[in-house]
Amino acid sequence: MQAQIENNEKPSLNFLEEIIEYDLKNGVHKSIITRFPPEPNGYLHIGHAKSICLNFGLAKKYGGKTNLRFDDTNPIKEDVEYVDSIKEDINWLGFQWANEFYASDYFEQLYSWALVLIKKELAYVDDQTLEEIRLNRGTVQIAGKDSPYRNRSVEENLRLFEQMRDGKYADGEKILRAKIDMAHPNMHMRDPIMYRILHADHHRTGNKWCIYPMYDYAHGESDSIENITHSICTLEFDVHRPLYDWFIEKLEIFPSHQYEFARLNLSYTVMSKRKLLQLVKENYVSGWDDARMPTICGLRRRGYTPESIRNFCDDIGVAKRDNFIDVGRLEFSLREDLNKRANRVMAVLDPIKLIIDNYPEALTEELYAINNPEDQDAGSRNLSFSKNLFIERDDFMENPSKKYFRLAPGQEVRLRYAYFVTCTSFEKDSEGNITTIHCTYDPASKGGNSPDGRKVKGTIHWVDANDCLNAEVRLFDRLFVSEMPEKVEDGMTFIDNLNPNSLKIISNAKIEKSLANVNQLDKFQFERLGYFSVDYDSTKEHLVFNRTCTLKDSWTKQN
Ligand code: ATP
Ligand code: MG
């Protein structure tokens, strides 16, 4: 046994795991602390799930802990509604934070550190307008111009900054800047803004503050307050890292370090919260939890499981270069998981009547069916069977092609779990639509087994018309028609790439009786049709199912 373990190849580490293992081995840190820092200005999406799995996953793997920190430094866009949803989504994904913190809890500490920097002549109050600041920043090739207020005395800066806090000035009248280098090759180091005046109510601090710290100043310092050892963020922040380090170095506080990985981009969807908000506000979707949204709550409503999302995030790994992931990989992970946990049931989405003419009128049989071949513990159930059934309209063809193995005049098929039936005739209405199919059955084929070795190629699903339930079923297609919806021609927006046919509602599906008492988010495989999840709109009187995804291969093809 021992030898076998030693011979096994060690699974390779991603670059963050390598850094952490190095740090732990060399005593850089005794244990690790990571954080997940959402801004409460929207609902979490699958990209955030990647970051959550990474931050919580690393801490778990190395016996550390993870803080949840709301990055609530911009009072204008933030809301408690978002705070609550974010917590719910992280929990649902299966993670528990060590502490719940708010950047706004650190406002007082951040303010005193700003005073420290002023006293060290490393920060100053600037009276220039934002426009002037922008113009004087220069370009990558051209050095910026020092502000005329750059050399104010420490005393004057302290007085002005205090007055800023006390509400003496209007929005935009003054700002606090770090005093670094207006000719620095990294534009972020050209005297970046630390504080701006915003006379706005904050969701937690109310009107206590009218100056708010900028991301670059607040983020690293918040990390440091919490002794975050590995502050993991997405790649676009790598140019901010020198500034992150500069503040920590000048303040001589706990040396948190920032590490960047590539953000997750998925095909056929958008992930910026601003764009998702627009879809909600302009009613292109029914809400943040519309089952077509890439939000965690949308995926949950659609029928995704936390395991399928976590497996997907693990599976795609951690990249250092931006890339696009095919949404098919997310769906693959979903199918794999649902295949194991979803019970099989029968439902007919586009019902047409099938009458077995030689089956006794008054008879009802209870046929044995197993619930999930992938899960022995899932048990079995009885399916009621009678003379009158529903089958899927497209499982019958009046004039079949050679390769059509389902029902057609004179053709024999297997009714799943039941009998072999042969189509003898069919009825049409005045418009030529087929209304009823007539069959005869072979009583010797009970259970769907061939009585004499004769083969039938097609197996179709059905429900007992005398003993079934009605249901509404929502079928989804991709929300966008293009792989990269944000890539648009001039004059167009991502909205132009919306798929007009992304939702199809079926109001008269027929489902087997065993589904009478389902609960919201219960998951099933409707045989041959896909995986389905019970929607929040579902009631006992009006059942509603969402199609989570189709089956990769329907078993008809294999039969
Ligand atoms: P958006 O651009 O959608 O508004 P954001 O980055 O502004 O997202 P935050 O609330 O600031 O959203 O993000 C919280 C954390 O989640 C950050 O650490 C951020 O880097 C990470 N994150 C956001 N989007 C993605 C993504 N697509 N892939 C991986 N991580 C992400
Ligand atoms: Mg952000």
Side-chain angles (χ1 to χ4, degrees):
M1 196 61 196
Q2 190 62 35
Q4 201 186 341
I5 288 170
E6 279 170 8
N7 284 341
N8 273 350
E9 247 183 69
K10 198 163 177 265
S12 65
L13 302 176
N14 68 45
F15 79 97
L16 291 167
E17 292 169 332
E18 275 173 10
I19 291 167
I20 291 170
E21 292 203 359
Y22 176 91
D23 288 352
L24 290 174
K25 209 161 104 195
N26 293 285
V28 181
H29 302 290
K30 279 208 185 69
S31 63
I32 69 161
I33 309 183
T34 60
R35 89 284 173 262
F36 175 65
E39 188 178 353
N41 62 349
Y43 282 66
L44 297 182
H45 51 62
I46 182 75
H48 292 115
K50 174 72 209 168
S51 173
I52 291 168
C53 290
L54 195 56
N55 279 297
F56 283 88
L58 287 170
K60 200 165 173 188
K61 176 165 181 181
Y62 293 104
K65 59 183 189 178
T66 306
N67 289 341
L68 169 60
R69 184 198 318 137
F70 289 101
D71 187 0
D72 57 350
T73 51
N74 183 352
I76 293 166
K77 294 184 294 177
E78 295 157 4
D79 206 325
V80 245
E81 173 197 351
Y82 300 131
V83 168
D84 295 341
S85 78
I86 287 169
K87 292 201 282 189
E88 183 187 356
D89 288 349
I90 299 172
N91 274 327
W92 179 76
L93 279 173
F95 298 107
Q96 189 51 60
W97 47 91
N99 301 287
E100 176 183 335
F101 289 137
Y102 292 79
S104 56
D105 292 343
Y106 308 141
F107 281 171
E108 201 63 59
Q109 175 69 74
L110 295 175
Y111 179 81
S112 1
W113 278 339
L115 298 179
V116 171
L117 292 177
I118 292 175
K119 285 177 194 157
K120 287 188 168 186
E121 294 189 58
L122 292 171
Y124 63 97
V125 173
D126 196 346
D127 295 3
Q128 293 182 103
T129 62
L130 283 182
E131 183 58 14
E132 286 166 332
I133 290 174
R134 198 180 58 77
L135 288 172
N136 288 334
R137 254 177 110 208
T139 65
V140 178
Q141 286 83 25
I142 304 167
K145 275 200 217 111
D146 283 2
S147 162
Y149 306 97
R150 199 171 194 264
N151 292 318
R152 276 176 162 151
S153 68
V154 169
E155 291 69 32
E156 190 181 4
N157 279 320
L158 287 174
R159 184 172 50 81
L160 292 174
F161 188 49
E162 197 177 324
Q163 288 176 350
M164 280 168 66
R165 176 185 179 156
D166 289 344
K168 293 257 157 60
Y169 305 107
D171 291 5
E173 224 179 308
K174 287 193 171 16
I175 53 158
L176 185 75
R177 298 177 78 174
K179 192 171 180 178
I180 305 180
D181 179 0
M182 285 305 290
H184 201 287
N186 181 336
M187 299 291 285
H188 293 279
M189 299 296 273
R190 293 188 185 175
D191 291 9
I193 299 174
M194 290 170 60
Y195 273 92
R196 74 255 201 243
I197 300 172
L198 275 177
H199 289 272
D201 255 11
H202 185 277
H203 76 111
R204 279 173 69 86
T205 57
N207 59 7
K208 180 161 182 230
W209 294 87
C210 61
I211 54 171
Y212 289 94
M214 300 298 288
Y215 173 89
D216 281 320
Y217 178 59
H219 201 88
E221 291 23 76
S222 302
D223 283 344
S224 181
I225 290 170
E226 295 174 22
N227 287 358
I228 302 299
T229 54
H230 299 81
S231 174
I232 299 162
C233 63
T234 43
L235 224 49
E236 66 274 20
F237 286 100
D238 72 337
V239 283
H240 296 244
R241 190 173 358 102
L243 183 54
Y244 182 103
D245 293 339
W246 187 88
F247 282 125
I248 285 180
E249 184 202 316
K250 298 302 176 194
L251 289 167
E252 300 173 66
I253 54 180
F254 180 84
S256 296
H257 280 286
Q258 176 187 298
Y259 302 92
E260 306 89 18
F261 73 104
R263 69 192 295 118
L264 167 64
N265 299 304
L266 262 194
S267 59
Y268 294 99
T269 195
V270 298
M271 266 195 273
S272 121
K273 279 185 277 191
R274 190 174 53 77
K275 292 186 175 135
L276 296 176
L277 179 65
Q278 187 182 347
L279 292 175
V280 174
K281 283 254 158 85
E282 296 176 12
N283 296 317
Y284 292 107
V285 293
S286 64
W288 285 97
D289 69 351
D290 186 298
R292 293 163 294 174
M293 290 281 271
T295 48
I296 309 285
C297 55
L299 296 170
R300 175 162 68 233
R301 183 169 191 176
R302 174 80 167 247
Y304 274 78
T305 57
E307 293 82 357
S308 64
I309 295 175
R310 292 204 303 263
N311 291 343
F312 165 74
C313 290
D314 277 354
D315 177 51
I316 56 175
V318 187
K320 272 177 115 166
R321 274 226 221 120
D322 276 324
N323 56 2
F324 242 85
I325 304 282
D326 190 330
V327 69
R329 290 181 70 176
L330 178 61
E331 290 163 359
F332 174 82
S333 170
L334 175 67
R335 284 192 187 96
E336 258 199 342
D337 189 50
L338 291 177
N339 183 40
K340 283 183 259 164
R341 69 176 73 242
N343 281 355
R344 277 57 170 165
V345 293
M346 292 209 282
V348 174
L349 300 188
D350 187 7
I352 183 168
K353 261 198 152 167
L354 180 103
I355 300 175
I356 305 174
D357 291 323
N358 63 339
Y359 193 88
E361 187 76 46
L363 183 63
T364 295
E365 286 184 271
E366 296 287 327
L367 301 175
Y368 172 84
I370 55 162
N371 288 334
N372 185 353
E374 303 292 325
D375 177 7
Q376 299 222 322
D377 298 332
S380 64
R381 70 193 184 288
N382 286 333
L383 285 172
S384 88
F385 184 86
S386 71
K387 186 183 182 78
N388 299 304
L389 308 174
F390 287 116
I391 64 165
E392 212 70 64
R393 181 169 294 275
D394 70 2
D395 278 337
F396 176 81
M397 255 182 130
E398 186 178 349
N399 300 302
S401 61
K402 256 204 154 148
K403 288 251 166 76
Y404 189 81
F405 299 121
R406 291 170 273 167
L407 213 51
Q411 212 153 288
E412 186 172 45
V413 296
R414 174 191 292 107
L415 292 178
R416 178 79 159 153
Y417 306 114
Y419 292 100
F420 288 7
V421 292
T422 306
C423 173
T424 50
S425 66
F426 55 89
E427 296 169 28
K428 281 185 179 174
D429 64 15
S430 55
E431 280 155 28
N433 302 310
I434 294 168
T435 55
T436 310
I437 299 163
H438 291 270
C439 284
T440 55
Y441 83 120
D442 177 355
S445 63
K446 185 164 179 176
N449 302 312
S450 179
D452 51 9
R454 82 176 181 273
K455 291 223 156 57
V456 296
K457 282 213 165 136
T459 301
I460 64 174
H461 61 274
W462 52 273
V463 297
D464 183 354
N466 293 337
D467 196 23
C468 65
L469 304 165
N470 286 318
E472 175 181 326
V473 173
R474 299 176 184 168
L475 304 180
F476 307 104
D477 197 354
R478 299 198 160 131
L479 189 51
F480 292 94
V481 286
S482 86
E483 212 170 353
M484 298 185 191
E486 281 151 303
K487 245 177 101 180
V488 287
E489 285 171 23
D490 278 356
M492 312 265 271
T493 74
F494 75 105
I495 296 288
D496 296 302
N497 282 326
L498 277 168
N499 176 3
N501 303 314
S502 59
L503 171 65
K504 185 176 164 199
I505 297 179
I506 292 176
S507 54
N508 62 336
K510 306 288 180 190
I511 60 176
E512 63 170 72
K513 201 63 172 285
S514 72
L515 296 174
N517 295 311
V518 292
N519 295 310
Q520 290 178 357
L521 301 188
D522 279 355
K523 292 161 182 57
F524 300 93
Q525 184 191 106
F526 289 2
E527 298 214 29
R528 296 175 71 218
L529 300 172
Y531 293 101
F532 293 74
S533 177
V534 181
D535 190 70
Y536 301 142
D537 293 338
S538 190
T539 62
K540 231 173 138 35
E541 292 70 41
H542 183 84
L543 295 164
V544 183
F545 290 86
N546 293 324
R547 177 150 72 188
T548 310
C549 61
T550 53
L551 300 173
K552 200 166 66 184
D553 284 308
S554 72
W555 44 260
T556 345
K557 283 186 203 142
Q558 294 152 21
N559 272 302

